[in-house]
């Protein structure tokens, strides 16, 4: 699934705290490249669909695909 905005929404949903004060997914400090990419995301001001620029995003793409796959699996 290449729906970038939808994938970002899925990531944000999984990072949101549940009733037990825990997220549904955790990003550990050892995931240095993922954390670096997340912190370096730059949104394109010329696009209306609110997606980041397509640059240095391999780890964030992987996280987006993971969350989309988990959502699809959950709905089976």
């Amino acid at each position: 699934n290449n729906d970038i905005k939808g994938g970002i929404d899925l990531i944000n949903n999984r990072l949101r705290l549940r009733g037990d004060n825990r997220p549904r997914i955790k990003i550990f400090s050892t995931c240095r490249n993922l954390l670096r990419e997340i912190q370096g995301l730059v949104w394109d001001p010329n696009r209306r669909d609110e997606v980041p620029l397509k640059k240095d995003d391999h780890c964030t793409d992987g996280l987006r695909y993971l969350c989309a796959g988990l959502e699809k699996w959950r709905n089976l």
Side-chain angles (χ1 to χ4, degrees), residues 25-73:
I25 193 168
K26 295 179 182 180
I27 301 174
F28 292 94
S29 62
T30 54
C31 300
R32 291 182 186 99
N33 289 328
L34 176 58
L35 292 170
R36 178 185 47 79
E37 285 183 18
I38 289 172
Q39 291 171 350
L41 288 176
V42 176
W43 268 255
D44 187 345
N46 298 319
R47 290 188 63 172
R48 294 182 183 192
D49 53 359
E50 300 179 20
V51 297
L53 293 173
K54 193 80 180 134
K55 181 182 174 192
D56 194 25
D57 61 353
H58 296 295
C59 295
T60 51
D61 278 349
L63 178 60
R64 187 168 48 87
Y65 294 140
L66 170 70
C67 289
L70 289 171
E71 194 66 24
K72 184 177 180 179
W73 179 76

Side-chain angles (χ1 to χ4, degrees), residues 3-15 41 43 49-52 60 64 67:
D3 178 13
I4 296 171
K5 174 70 170 105
I8 291 171
D9 291 342
L10 289 173
I11 292 169
N12 287 332
N13 185 32
R14 289 198 170 266
L15 289 171
L41 288 176
W43 268 255
D49 53 359
E50 300 179 20
V51 297
T60 51
R64 187 168 48 87
C67 289

